[in-house]
Amino acid sequence: MFIQYSSKLTVYPKVNKIQRLGKHYSYRFFLVAVLFFLSGCSTEKNTFTSRAYHNLTAHYNVFFNGRESLRAGAEKINNSVEDDYSKILPLYKSSNPSTATAATSDMENSILKGSKLIQSHSITKKPKRRKNHSKSYTRFIKQDEFNNWIDDAYVLMGKAYFYQHNFPSAIENFSYVVRKFEDDPSKYTANIWLIRCYTELERYVEASELIQQMQADENFPRKLEGELAAVTSDYYAKQLYYTEGIPFLSIAVKQTGKKEDRLRYKYVLAQWYQETGNTEKASQTFREVARMNPPYKMAFNARIQAAGTFTGIGDAEKLQKELRKMLRDKKNREFRDQIYFAMGNISMRAGDKKKAKEDYTKSAAMSVDNLYQRALSCLTLAQIYFEELDYKKSQSYYDSAMVVIDDKYPNYPQIAERHKSLTRLTDNIYAVEREDSLQRIALMDEPTRNSLIDKWIKEATEKEALAKQAESNQMMDRNYFRQNESRFGLSQQQEGAGWYFYSPTTVAYGKVEFERLWGKRKLEDNWRRADKRVVSDEDLVQNEDSLMTAEGPKKVQDPQKPRILYSGLAHDRFANECFTWQNPYRLI
């Protein structure tokens, strides 16, 4: 073949045509091969090709997406729960009932993906039998399911139902895996989650049976031992058997791979040591948590608890110095009540009861948002004064604690009973003291008695003047603030914040503050008065009107006279009913 060279680009039309025909036929061949492959991948057939196709698609398409949704939902649940470090933390945040709807869409998507995997990729048809087959092939052909990801799909759906607190559906899925996949390792995962389901439902007998069964199984996977230890610890914690749960939680801490879980388990382990009275081990474990670089709030509480569990052995002054440094840190302003409480514990164990009482008192005074800490501080002071036989102060602190605790508080029945007993006792003590003071005043000579009452009049007048001045200043400040609101348009900006009573948080706090100041009062007229027989202002007005006659107004006693003043200062029925100037000895 002669080839002519020229300056122009040489074109070989015959060769290009052959290349184009080759590409065309290769595309057609590839399309035919794909169609042939897909035709052989129906779930109605059980061949090597169909099994490979459905295993691959189920794993890297449907199951992968469902698992990612489950992980995202579990992370949302963990972020939705704010831990209360004043109480013993639960091992799992998902145990909180409020988390049931925290990740609804993610969990529903996981359930949808699991269902799709089962419906679209399950292979139950038996393969063609070979004439000569081995024992392994015999075991293989006896299977009810030939897709390796079907059991994982059921476990995936069971976990999603669990996070939704739909425990019956979760149990149904996990139980199916245990029954149908006896020879697959997935049954161990299903059993672990079954233990969690039974524990959440307080079906402790069934949970205990499964725990013993798993512990006795020689084939139990080593990589799941940490999870089994954790769910066993949770089983004991739900029943408040912390002593029995400590060994299992110690195993979970060592064998848990995720740092976040290891931190939480170790902190809870320290709390369990503290709850069971092993303060030395608790302090040591709290310090280990603080050295593991945890989140700030956990690190702060770990240091506080480590100091609070001081056993008396060691340098108490060094711990106090560390706490005073934390007290000066602006980041810890909201935690000052806990810091003072820890300082009180250290002083108490060091033998300085006076300093301890001062710190506990500051802790109680600064507990505004943390009602649990306020109750703890008040109850600690109440117990100290009770042991010192100072029943009046003890009753006062028990009274303050009863305002913020309910029947779910630990040892509530005993606390309530002691509060009632002390209230009855102190009422009698106050009655005796009033009687003694009345008798002492009654035995005075008239000049001395009048001098005392003149002193009371002066003090009452000064107090009333100070109160009026404070009220006037407050009114001026309020008017000034309203003027600024109108001037700068702040009222419009804050309008979206809503009314005070539209916020459940502010209403609940207001209720607690009201009961702290006034106690539990019935909604009725003159609710401020403990004794309704005391004359009200309206009654005084009516009495004044009744004193008017046709002859003109009668003489009304000056409210600053000794008799009237004494009635007000005594502020009880004993002075009003029993005491008279004409007969000062009439006290019964």
Side-chain angles (χ1 to χ4, degrees), residues 76-91:
K76 284 182 182 178
I77 287 172
N78 287 333
N79 293 335
S80 69
V81 177
E82 187 70 24
D83 285 319
D84 184 359
Y85 288 94
S86 62
K87 302 176 184 178
I88 295 179
L89 299 183
L91 278 180

Side-chain angles (χ1 to χ4, degrees), residues 16-30:
N16 288 343
K17 184 177 180 180
I18 293 172
Q19 288 177 347
R20 288 197 300 271
L21 287 173
K23 289 180 179 179
H24 176 71
Y25 284 116
S26 64
Y27 287 139
R28 291 184 65 182
F29 176 77
F30 177 75

Side-chain angles (χ1 to χ4, degrees), residues 431-450:
V432 170
E433 289 178 350
R434 283 194 298 267
E435 291 291 339
D436 288 344
S437 65
L438 290 173
Q439 291 186 27
R440 187 171 59 254
I441 295 171
L443 293 173
M444 291 179 180
D445 58 89
E446 189 169 351
T448 305
R449 186 166 53 237
N450 290 336

